Every structure is written in C-alpha cells, then in structure tokens.
Amino acid sequence: LISMAACGEKPAEETVETEQLVAEVTATEPSEIPRSASNEGASVFFITPADGATVTNPISIEFGLAGMDVVKAGNKQPNSGHHHLLIDTGLPDLGLPIPANEHHVHFGDGSVSTQISLPPGEHKLQMLLGDHLHIPHNPALTSAQITITVE
C-alpha cells in the first residue's frame, strides 16, 4: 500500500556490516542494549507537510533536525543519527532497534526528504531519530505526531 521514491542505496558491504551489528544488538537482552545520548534541547520535526494538511500523491516530506547532525546509518559519530518515518503506528520499543517495515521507514542513507504515496484517507505520521544501529537515542528524539489527509 505504501510506495517510496528511491532514497539511495548503501554500498553492499556497509549494509551487511550494519545488518550484522543490528542482529548482534537485537540478540542482546533489551536492558543491556546501549543507547546513544541525545543532545539536550535537540529536536526532530516535520518541515512539510503541516499537521492537518490535505495532500495528493506523491506526498513530499521534509525532515528537520536541530541540535544534532544527520549522518548515514553505521556512522558512529557522536551527537548524530538518521531519520525514521513512522506511518500509521505508535512508537516502537525505544530500547530496541527500530523495525523496518511498511510502518517504520528507514532513511539510513542520511536523507532529509522523501516522497511517498499513501492510500486516500487520513494518515498519522511521526519521526524518530535512530543512532548508527537504528536504536533510538536516550532520551528518544521524536517529533509530534501529525495527521494528513490524502485525496
């Protein structure tokens, strides 16, 4: 039901290495998974669309981040992370890597914008920043959940 415009691909070896690290972390007891610290005052937010907007496909989405840097997944730079778009779902377990499915879209390539298509009707969108291993920061950086209507 959800289609995405291409966001760029990571090199195969980077993808395999990151996937192996995520698998190792996921096998760890949740209480033992280390979480990267977020900067005090940092925030993620939607630049577009606005809450309550009526839109048509393809939907242009721009992600904002203040107080930290956007980097590609696998890059363990302090005070950084990459965006995840949550579509019609609540927040995942913040102590585990963010799932990758039709409700949790990863932008591990460091993208700050995308285009998606959604079925007509009302949809809820939220952003969640993940660290180099797709794990939410401590404290987690989430945007306000917005509602859009697709015509």
Side-chain angles (χ1 to χ4, degrees):
L1 292 173
I2 300 168
S3 66
M4 301 274 311
C7 298
E9 296 294 320
K10 294 184 281 186
E13 63 272 1
E14 181 181 328
T15 300
V16 169
E17 182 177 304
T18 301
E19 288 174 358
Q20 288 171 339
L21 288 171
V22 169
E24 290 172 16
V25 167
T26 303
T28 305
E29 289 296 319
S31 61
E32 298 175 10
I33 295 175
R35 293 176 61 197
S36 300
S38 57
N39 281 349
E40 186 175 334
S43 63
V44 294
F45 51 92
F46 288 98
I47 297 171
T48 59
D51 186 28
T54 297
V55 298
T56 57
N57 288 313
I59 304 157
S60 293
I61 301 177
E62 292 181 73
F63 310 126
L65 175 63
M68 292 181 67
D69 295 323
V70 175
V71 298
K72 293 181 179 183
N75 183 340
K76 196 176 176 177
Q77 176 182 319
N79 305 314
S80 68
H82 63 279
H83 295 292
H84 297 82
L85 177 63
L86 310 182
I87 303 171
D88 295 327
T89 189
L91 291 172
D93 184 331
L94 298 177
L96 295 173
I98 301 163
N101 57 40
E102 68 275 6
H103 297 287
H104 305 87
V105 183
H106 290 236
F107 294 91
D109 64 353
S111 294
V112 295
S113 65
T114 192
Q115 289 191 336
I116 65 171
S117 291
L118 295 171
E122 189 174 281
H123 297 279
K124 299 207 180 293
L125 305 177
Q126 189 170 20
M127 295 170 47
L128 174 59
L129 198 71
D131 71 7
H132 62 290
L133 295 177
H134 307 280
I135 301 170
H137 293 77
N138 188 17
L141 293 176
T142 63
S143 71
Q145 188 177 67
I146 66 169
T147 300
I148 61 170
T149 301
V150 180
E151 291 187 326

